[in-house]
Amino acid sequence: MRIAMSGVGEPLKFIKSIPELIVVIYDVMRCHMGILKHCHILHRDISEANILVRRDSTGVHGMLIDFDHAVDITDDGYAKHAERTGTLPFMSVSNLEDKPTKRTALDDWESIIYILCWLGTFGWNRAIRQSDSKRRKNIASWDGDDVEDIANSKRRDMDSSRSFTEITKGFNPNIPDIAVLEDIVEGLRAVLIDDHKDPNLRGAMIIRDRIPKDNSNNMFLKSARKPTDILFRNKYIHRSVMHEVVAAVPGMVGGLIRHIKSLQGMRHDGGWIGHLLHEAENERMHLMTWMEVSKPVMWKRALIATVQTGFFAVFSLLYMVSPHTAHRVVGYLEEEAVTSYTHFIGEIDAGRIENVKAPDIAVAYWNLDPESTLRDVVLAVRADEALHRNTNHHFSDRIRAKCESLFEDMNINSNKPHIKY
């Protein structure tokens, strides 16, 4: 038997420009998420060598290859096997540290950041190869024989926007449009990675790693969800209403208490009040949206008011006694919301919930397409909840680390006046 084979793509060294590189990486990310969503498979080895460039009459495209280390994922999105896999310069920090942390798509997306940084610094072919060894110094520590040193180097470089600037400063200035690539990797880092100042904290940088395993709080919330599960079961619109009834409270309570403390202490708050009030406003709009969709009758509105009043009293007391615990509880509450909205989307996709037209209030608030549907609204709300989840866990970590001022993370130009409110 004979097998005839022909090439389907070319290595990244045949990329001709930054715009082409962006298109290729975009296609790879779409492929990665498509396989994850439809086939429930996680790649686990995103690297420079596993990305190909394909050209046809419609332009340039990216291809993701080499699924030798790919594994199935669970319903929660975690890889069923957690062993270390990948190419050292492009492996995620948690993967390098080989901790018993469940791998997710975010490990692969972290690899995308490292690939873009690597290509921006070293170039992708000899014609644009970086010649300045000083510019290559920082990122060169991502490669080597000592896995622990590589992990520590990446953690140091990705710890904050300020430290990450030392990496982007090493990008090859002779590559046209290199500033565009800098903006993209800085944006990806901002979305996926967070900095922790306390070395005693776990220090995990990736979003899902910022969800600590505080079993007492987590088990309490899962137990508290049981009545909702029994009462509403798969009525996810009603579940969403009940969630947003309580979710709109913590931001306002936290903002109010911190506002009063700032006034009484006559000192700056460190930038928290604005964040918390914005969270409260965002959650309120979630509730307004689901009220518009569900059209609750009078007795349900009375139930909503009763639950909200009770939760307001309990959470206010908790925040005054232990703000660290309060933010941790909210983080877990939002994680439950993300899970619930994910199931909500599954019900819509299965046809068990009608994918009706999005209400006007949602179209206006999230600036959705006028033809958007209920599924688009759920996706937008779920994205908000994921952000609130991460923010509240981060706030809890900062309180525990006694590093509450958010201005310490800002790369402020000292020559310009700025307000610390």
Side-chain angles (χ1 to χ4, degrees), residues 142-377:
W142 294 1
D143 195 11
D145 298 324
D146 193 317
V147 175
E148 183 177 353
D149 284 348
I150 296 174
N152 290 336
S153 295
K154 287 183 176 180
R155 187 177 294 284
R156 178 199 66 223
D157 295 334
M158 298 292 173
D159 181 60
S160 68
S161 59
R162 187 171 300 179
S163 60
F164 187 63
T165 300
E166 297 302 314
I167 295 297
T168 57
K169 280 182 180 178
F171 281 13
N172 189 346
N174 297 320
I175 301 177
D177 299 317
I178 193 64
V180 175
L181 187 61
E182 290 179 21
D183 290 342
I184 288 175
V185 295
E186 287 173 355
L188 285 173
R189 196 213 69 84
V191 171
L192 296 179
I193 297 177
D194 188 28
D195 59 321
H196 289 294
K197 304 298 182 183
D198 186 353
N200 296 319
L201 297 178
R202 182 173 183 276
M205 301 190 300
I206 302 308
I207 284 177
R208 68 99 191 15
D209 286 339
R210 278 185 263 150
I211 305 173
K213 299 304 178 186
D214 184 339
N215 290 330
S216 58
N217 285 332
N218 200 17
M219 289 179 65
F220 170 76
L221 281 172
K222 288 185 179 297
S223 299
R225 197 182 73 175
K226 291 297 182 183
T228 306
D229 291 340
I230 296 172
L231 183 61
F232 296 116
R233 297 184 183 276
N234 292 333
K235 296 178 181 178
Y236 283 98
I237 293 178
H238 296 89
R239 291 171 70 104
S240 299
V241 170
M242 291 307 299
H243 167 76
E244 303 302 347
V245 161
V246 298
V249 171
M252 184 58 67
V253 168
L256 174 61
I257 292 176
R258 296 188 73 93
H259 175 70
I260 297 300
K261 285 185 176 180
S262 178
L263 293 177
Q264 292 177 341
M266 290 179 283
R267 53 185 170 78
H268 297 300
D269 175 66
W272 288 51
I273 295 173
H275 283 281
L276 293 172
L277 295 182
H278 175 74
E279 177 183 318
E281 168 67 9
N282 180 250
E283 296 286 11
R284 184 180 70 85
M285 291 305 297
H286 291 178
L287 178 59
M288 295 299 102
T289 297
W290 296 128
M291 294 285 278
E292 185 70 22
V293 173
S294 63
K295 306 289 186 183
V297 296
M298 187 58 67
W299 74 267
K300 289 185 178 180
R301 290 176 178 270
L303 176 62
I304 288 170
T306 303
V307 170
Q308 199 168 61
T309 301
F311 183 76
F312 181 88
V314 172
F315 189 81
S316 296
L317 179 62
L318 176 61
Y319 203 98
M320 286 187 284
V321 173
S322 177
H324 155 69
T325 303
H327 282 291
R328 185 70 75 210
V329 167
V330 176
Y332 285 121
L333 178 67
E334 301 294 11
E335 176 64 16
E336 291 297 315
V338 171
T339 301
S340 180
Y341 283 121
T342 300
H343 294 159
F344 193 162
I345 293 170
E347 292 294 298
I348 294 174
D349 292 343
R352 288 186 285 270
I353 295 178
E354 185 181 358
N355 192 21
V356 298
K357 187 179 184 299
D360 291 340
I361 186 175
V363 173
Y365 182 69
W366 283 285
N367 195 28
L368 300 176
D369 186 277
E371 301 301 320
S372 296
T373 63
L374 178 62
R375 190 180 192 278
D376 299 313
V377 176

Side-chain angles (χ1 to χ4, degrees), residues 389-406:
R389 171 198 64 192
N390 302 330
T391 301
N392 278 279
H393 281 307
H394 178 54
F395 281 175
S396 181
D397 288 343
R398 296 191 78 107
I399 293 172
R400 186 170 65 174
K402 295 181 172 56
C403 180
E404 296 189 35
S405 177
L406 303 181

Side-chain angles (χ1 to χ4, degrees), residues 33-209:
M33 294 310 295
I35 292 171
L36 188 73
K37 177 181 178 181
H38 299 293
C39 303
H40 308 291
I41 292 175
L42 185 65
H43 190 280
R44 298 200 309 163
D45 188 15
I46 306 293
S47 68
E48 182 183 12
N50 291 338
I51 297 175
L52 294 183
V53 181
R54 181 174 63 85
R55 300 179 187 277
D56 58 24
S57 58
T58 62
V60 64
H61 307 279
M63 298 177 63
L64 180 61
I65 63 170
D66 194 355
F67 284 76
D68 291 353
H69 296 293
V71 295
D72 294 333
I73 59 171
T74 64
D75 292 339
D76 293 330
Y78 296 113
K80 292 184 177 180
H81 304 286
E83 70 272 9
R84 179 188 290 152
T85 59
T87 306
L88 290 177
F90 312 120
M91 288 166 61
S92 70
V93 172
S94 61
N95 195 2
L96 286 165
E97 292 176 337
D98 204 22
K99 293 182 177 180
T101 303
K102 294 179 179 179
R103 309 282 181 252
T104 73
L106 294 171
D107 285 288
D108 285 355
W109 281 38
E110 185 180 353
S111 296
I112 293 289
I113 298 178
Y114 299 139
I115 291 172
L116 292 176
C117 289
W118 195 267
L119 296 176
T121 303
F122 291 100
W124 48 84
N125 57 43
R126 292 181 180 179
I128 55 172
R129 187 65 65 184
Q130 174 84 275
S131 59
D132 189 344
S133 59
K134 291 183 179 179
R135 286 183 172 273
R136 302 196 307 259
K137 183 178 179 181
N138 286 341
I139 200 171
S141 61
W142 294 1
D143 195 11
D145 298 324
D146 193 317
V147 175
E148 183 177 353
D149 284 348
I150 296 174
N152 290 336
S153 295
K154 287 183 176 180
R155 187 177 294 284
R156 178 199 66 223
D157 295 334
M158 298 292 173
D159 181 60
S160 68
S161 59
R162 187 171 300 179
S163 60
F164 187 63
T165 300
E166 297 302 314
I167 295 297
T168 57
K169 280 182 180 178
F171 281 13
N172 189 346
N174 297 320
I175 301 177
D177 299 317
I178 193 64
V180 175
L181 187 61
E182 290 179 21
D183 290 342
I184 288 175
V185 295
E186 287 173 355
L188 285 173
R189 196 213 69 84
V191 171
L192 296 179
I193 297 177
D194 188 28
D195 59 321
H196 289 294
K197 304 298 182 183
D198 186 353
N200 296 319
L201 297 178
R202 182 173 183 276
M205 301 190 300
I206 302 308
I207 284 177
R208 68 99 191 15
D209 286 339

Side-chain angles (χ1 to χ4, degrees), residues 5-24:
M5 303 178 65
S6 61
V8 294
E10 303 172 318
L12 281 179
K13 68 180 182 180
F14 290 97
I15 287 284
K16 297 179 180 178
S17 64
I18 291 291
E20 282 197 356
L21 175 62
I22 294 171
V23 170
V24 168

